[in-house]
Amino acid sequence: MEIKLPLDANLQAALNKVSAAFPELKLNQVLEAKIAVNQAQLNLLTVNMAGKTLTLQTPLPLPLAAGQSLQLQVVKLLPTPEFKLIAPPLPANAKPTAGGEAPLLKLTTAAAPAQVAAAGNPLPNLQLGQAVPAQVVSVGKQGVTLQLAMPLPASGQPATDNVAGHSPAQPVTLDSRQLLEADPAKPVLVPGSRIELQLVKAGSPPLFSVSLAPADLEAELVAAAFKQALPQQSSPLLMLNRLDHAVGELIADKTVGETLKHLALQILRAIPDKSALFQPNDLKTAVARSGLFLEAQLAQAGRQQAPPTLADDFKLRLSKFIAQLALELKPAAAEHSASASEPLLRELLQQAEGSLAKLTLDQLHSLPKDDAPRQVWVLELPFLQNGKPDLLELVVEHDRDGSGNPAGQNNWVVSITITPPELATIHCKLSCYDGSVNTRFWSESAVTVEKINARLDYLRRQFEEKGLKPGFMDAQQGKPAQEHSPIASPQSLLSEKV
């Protein structure tokens, strides 16, 4: 016999509300989401999830960036849905909950989709000519959703700043026809943009002008300056392969200066053979001469009576090569004819400048950061594979302050990317924790993954012979999670600290 018990009216209303707004939401369900806006100062996170734009309340500010992908697990449905952040994992010193548990994100009432105000004024207390700061949450076919930086005062009340203790304003959705951009060719209405919204015409519907907020305008100018001033980055492997292929032509051309020929040969002869990367001292020398530490070595040389030899540093040789190429390509005097190798020299100059730009950016990525628990070095090591130039990409991480390390252990992580002959690209991550060396491999080729798995036992024996304690070993198809952005934002390239 089936017995039906009556539900509490409030509980039934809450269930109906959740079911209507989120019919697909189920307990313990894992959902993919993408951050639209992170208002860390307000502990609010606006995400696009399951085709909806939701605003979630966080327990404390979270170090997450706009555009970042998340995985959220539904842990509670009533009275308000709550989600647990399961990916990406937060650094140990960034987790706001006790015991290092993942933070719980609660759906706020502000997350309900705002109504598109095509006929009325959603900001009735905004005066003609008054501007209010806002941030673009999402841009859709029906309108643009904005998060006001502060709630507008009621009629007759003076405007006040949104300080601690004041609740943030609810998102407002405007019809795109109500928004006038100063330069339609350079749209500012993109998710994450900070703008100023100004009422220029009252009535039904009202019209608003939008422009970048002063802080974003300054960032846009900095980004444009960097795009114009810096050459396009390129891998040094492109230049080395081109130089290796054309060095014979370069040397045979009698119109090319001997200094340039000598520099080209020096660069090629300084590339270590693959076998050198298997010897600790040779590998250490290759890293030291990679160009990443040139300025530090120059500063050290000025303090020593016997300065170290810097002639083999890759960045120094690359800089000399670029300077000599530019000298060779100067407009020739009227009595001199152009060199037959001029197109080759211009190509080499472009690739060398791109290599220097990439190396400089790697140096900037490797600078110590005040808010990072780890010191990270990003570098590329050229080497010879069967007599031809090849490249090894390295990311070395070291715990700086010992946070999270039991007994102050010396913990390291090394990420390696390489493409061996007749195999697909392999990504390897070695981590040294608790005295053990853990190793993980990734490749997009199933055949390459199968070959790696078949040789993991051999690698384990090699570790043991070297006196290392092998830990977890694994190989899987795919790519590792991108933990370090390969491109620095213009703001991160500048420091006001002197």
Side-chain angles (χ1 to χ4, degrees):
M1 182 177 64
E2 183 180 1
I3 301 176
K4 294 183 179 181
L5 298 177
L7 288 174
D8 178 82
N10 293 330
L11 178 59
Q12 184 63 59
L15 281 169
N16 292 339
K17 185 177 180 180
V18 171
S19 299
F22 311 101
E24 69 284 356
L25 214 57
K26 297 178 178 62
L27 199 62
N28 297 322
Q29 181 182 11
V30 177
L31 299 170
E32 300 289 337
K34 182 168 287 189
I35 299 176
V37 180
N38 184 4
Q39 295 177 282
Q41 70 278 11
L42 301 176
N43 293 353
L44 289 178
L45 196 66
T46 302
V47 300
N48 296 320
M49 181 171 63
K52 297 180 175 62
T53 299
L54 310 176
T55 300
L56 307 175
Q57 184 78 44
T58 65
L60 281 177
L62 299 179
L64 302 171
Q68 189 171 357
S69 297
L70 306 175
Q71 282 188 343
L72 301 175
Q73 184 177 23
V74 182
V75 296
K76 188 176 181 181
L77 289 175
L78 296 173
T80 302
E82 293 185 9
F83 307 88
K84 181 173 70 174
L85 177 64
I86 59 176
L90 298 176
N93 61 345
K95 290 184 178 179
T97 55
E101 297 178 355
L104 295 181
L105 313 180
K106 182 182 295 187
L107 186 67
T108 69
T109 55
Q115 297 299 319
V116 177
N121 185 355
L123 307 172
N125 301 322
L126 193 65
Q127 303 299 317
L128 194 65
Q130 182 182 355
V132 60
Q135 189 167 19
V136 181
V137 175
S138 62
V139 180
K141 294 181 179 180
Q142 295 183 340
V144 179
T145 301
L146 306 173
Q147 175 71 57
L148 302 185
M150 63 187 72
L152 292 175
S155 299
Q157 293 183 357
T160 57
D161 291 336
N162 185 30
V163 295
H166 287 236
S167 60
Q170 290 191 1
V172 173
T173 301
L174 300 174
D175 192 307
S176 56
R177 292 170 295 182
Q178 296 178 257
L179 302 173
L180 306 175
E181 296 188 64
D183 187 359
K186 298 175 63 178
V188 300
L189 293 173
V190 295
S193 293
R194 297 184 181 275
I195 63 171
E196 282 191 345
L197 188 69
Q198 185 178 26
L199 180 63
V200 295
K201 179 185 175 182
S204 182
L207 292 179
F208 303 89
S209 69
V210 291
S211 59
L212 277 176
D216 274 24
L217 182 60
E218 181 180 344
E220 187 183 59
L221 292 174
V222 172
F226 270 95
K227 288 180 181 179
Q228 294 175 6
L230 293 180
Q232 184 176 359
Q233 305 165 55
S234 61
S235 169
L237 187 59
L238 295 175
M239 184 207 69
L240 294 175
N241 276 325
R242 186 69 180 103
L243 187 60
D244 179 65
H245 184 265
V247 67
E249 176 188 344
L250 201 63
I251 293 175
D253 191 342
K254 296 181 179 180
T255 62
V256 176
E258 293 299 320
T259 302
L260 181 61
K261 296 177 183 178
H262 181 67
L263 287 171
L265 288 173
Q266 277 189 333
I267 289 176
L268 292 175
R269 289 170 180 169
I271 303 175
D273 187 75
K274 179 185 69 174
S275 58
L277 301 182
F278 294 94
Q279 304 300 323
N281 290 334
D282 292 340
L283 178 60
K284 181 179 179 180
T285 300
V287 171
R289 294 175 178 176
S290 65
L292 195 70
F293 309 101
L294 173 62
E295 286 75 12
Q297 292 176 359
L298 286 172
Q300 183 181 4
R303 298 190 297 266
Q304 293 180 350
Q305 293 182 353
T309 302
L310 299 175
D312 292 330
D313 187 89
F314 182 65
K315 184 180 181 183
L316 185 59
R317 283 186 170 170
L318 193 58
S319 300
K320 291 180 178 179
F321 188 55
I322 291 172
Q324 193 62 34
L325 280 169
L327 188 63
E328 291 275 343
L329 290 169
K330 277 189 175 180
E335 62 271 14
H336 294 288
S337 59
S339 170
S341 299
E342 183 175 343
L344 171 61
L345 297 182
R346 294 194 180 278
E347 182 182 0
L348 286 173
L349 178 60
Q350 181 182 7
Q351 292 176 346
E353 288 179 338
S355 300
L356 183 60
K358 176 66 169 62
L359 176 54
T360 303
L361 195 63
D362 286 344
Q363 288 181 294
L364 293 168
H365 271 302
S366 302
L367 290 174
K369 298 175 179 60
D370 294 337
D371 56 347
R374 289 180 175 180
Q375 170 67 53
V376 179
W377 295 271
V378 181
L379 65 151
E380 295 175 320
L381 291 182
F383 66 95
L384 292 178
Q385 173 87 8
N386 298 326
K388 296 296 181 183
D390 209 332
L391 197 69
L392 177 70
E393 299 177 20
L394 285 177
V395 178
V396 183
E397 306 171 54
H398 180 232
D399 285 325
R400 297 172 59 193
D401 54 7
S403 60
N405 297 345
Q409 291 177 358
N410 201 13
N411 293 341
W412 292 82
V413 177
V414 178
S415 300
I416 304 171
T417 300
I418 193 170
T419 305
E422 302 178 1
L423 288 177
T425 298
I426 297 174
H427 307 274
C428 175
K429 188 169 186 176
L430 296 97
S431 56
C432 178
Y433 289 110
D434 298 331
S436 299
V437 179
N438 302 308
T439 313
R440 303 197 69 174
F441 294 92
W442 293 266
S443 179
E444 295 187 87
S445 167
V447 175
T448 300
V449 171
E450 183 179 353
K451 290 183 177 180
I452 295 174
N453 273 319
R455 289 163 175 80
L456 288 180
D457 288 340
Y458 172 77
L459 179 61
R460 185 181 297 274
R461 291 194 299 270
Q462 290 291 309
F463 279 167
E464 292 172 345
E465 290 177 6
K466 298 294 183 181
L468 300 174
K469 179 183 175 183
F472 176 81
M473 287 186 176
D474 177 55
Q476 55 184 287
Q477 190 172 1
K479 284 186 176 182
Q482 187 73 27
E483 297 182 5
H484 306 283
S485 174
I487 300 177
S489 64
Q491 292 81 357
S492 67
L493 298 181
L494 297 176
S495 175
E496 298 176 357
K497 297 182 179 180
V498 293

